[in-house]
Amino acid sequence: GIVHALDGVLQHTALIREDTQGRWPSDSWSASTQAQLVSSTRDGLAALGISSTKPAHGNAVYADLRQESLSCIEFDRTTMGSAGPGDCIMLCGDSAEDAVMITTPMQLVTGVPFGSAVAWRPRESRSLQMVEAFWGGTGALKG
C-alpha cells in the first residue's frame, strides 16, 4: 500500500503479500522485513537479477473494467521505467529471493495525474512481472 498525506507528501509504503498457494505462511515468500531505497530502477532491476529489459506484453485493465491487450511495451515508457529523482524507488524483501520494487511519487501535485508501480521476479523465473496503477488529476483511479 502507498499513502500520501493531504499535502501530497509520501507518508508510508507497505508491502502486503497474499498467496493462495496453500499453507500459511506461504512458501512462495520469505519472512524478510528488509527495505531499502535505491537510486534508480536500473539499480533495482539489477538487485532483482534482471540485467536487461526487452519489449514486453501484458494486459491493461481500466477503472471501468475494460481490458486491452498490450504488446511491444518498452520498459522506459512504463511508470516503473520512467521513475526519476522525484520518485521513491524502494526494494522490499530479500533481494536474493523474492524482493519487490515499489515506485511512487515523493510528492503529489494537486491536479496532476500520477502513477505508482510494483515489480518482482518470481522465484526460478527470468521474467519481470509488473503492476501499475494510474490516477487522474482529480484523484480518480484510471487503471
Side-chain angles (χ1 to χ4, degrees), residues 79-116:
T79 299
M80 183 68 68
S82 62
D87 296 308
C88 172
I89 307 168
M90 181 178 287
L91 277 177
C92 299
D94 183 344
S95 61
E97 285 191 47
D98 62 357
V100 174
M101 185 166 45
I102 300 172
T103 301
T104 194
M106 292 292 289
Q107 172 75 53
L108 301 182
V109 178
T110 302
V112 176
F114 72 97
S116 297

Side-chain angles (χ1 to χ4, degrees), residues 116-130:
S116 297
V118 297
W120 68 98
R121 184 178 57 86
R123 285 185 183 167
E124 301 178 21
S125 172
R126 294 173 51 184
S127 297
L128 183 69
Q129 305 292 312
M130 188 165 43

Side-chain angles (χ1 to χ4, degrees), residues 34-143:
Q34 296 175 16
Q36 67 181 34
L37 292 174
V38 292
S39 59
S40 70
T41 54
R42 295 289 173 196
D43 290 345
L45 290 175
L48 294 175
I50 304 289
S51 59
S52 66
T53 54
K54 298 176 183 170
H57 65 278
N59 296 294
V61 179
Y62 297 93
D64 63 5
L65 302 182
R66 280 181 300 117
Q67 296 184 30
E68 177 184 353
S69 291
L70 305 172
S71 60
C72 297
I73 305 299
E74 296 291 336
F75 180 75
D76 291 342
R77 296 187 58 126
T78 66
T79 299
M80 183 68 68
S82 62
D87 296 308
C88 172
I89 307 168
M90 181 178 287
L91 277 177
C92 299
D94 183 344
S95 61
E97 285 191 47
D98 62 357
V100 174
M101 185 166 45
I102 300 172
T103 301
T104 194
M106 292 292 289
Q107 172 75 53
L108 301 182
V109 178
T110 302
V112 176
F114 72 97
S116 297
V118 297
W120 68 98
R121 184 178 57 86
R123 285 185 183 167
E124 301 178 21
S125 172
R126 294 173 51 184
S127 297
L128 183 69
Q129 305 292 312
M130 188 165 43
V131 175
E132 299 183 316
F134 303 97
W135 291 266
T138 62
L141 179 67
K142 295 294 182 183

Side-chain angles (χ1 to χ4, degrees), residues 1-3 12-20 24 26 29-30 32-34 90 92-93 98-102 118 120 131:
I2 298 168
V3 177
H12 302 286
T13 61
L15 178 59
I16 302 165
R17 297 175 172 178
E18 296 183 7
D19 196 334
T20 61
W24 179 261
S26 171
W29 299 105
S30 73
S32 173
T33 58
Q34 296 175 16
M90 181 178 287
C92 299
D98 62 357
V100 174
M101 185 166 45
I102 300 172
V118 297
W120 68 98
V131 175

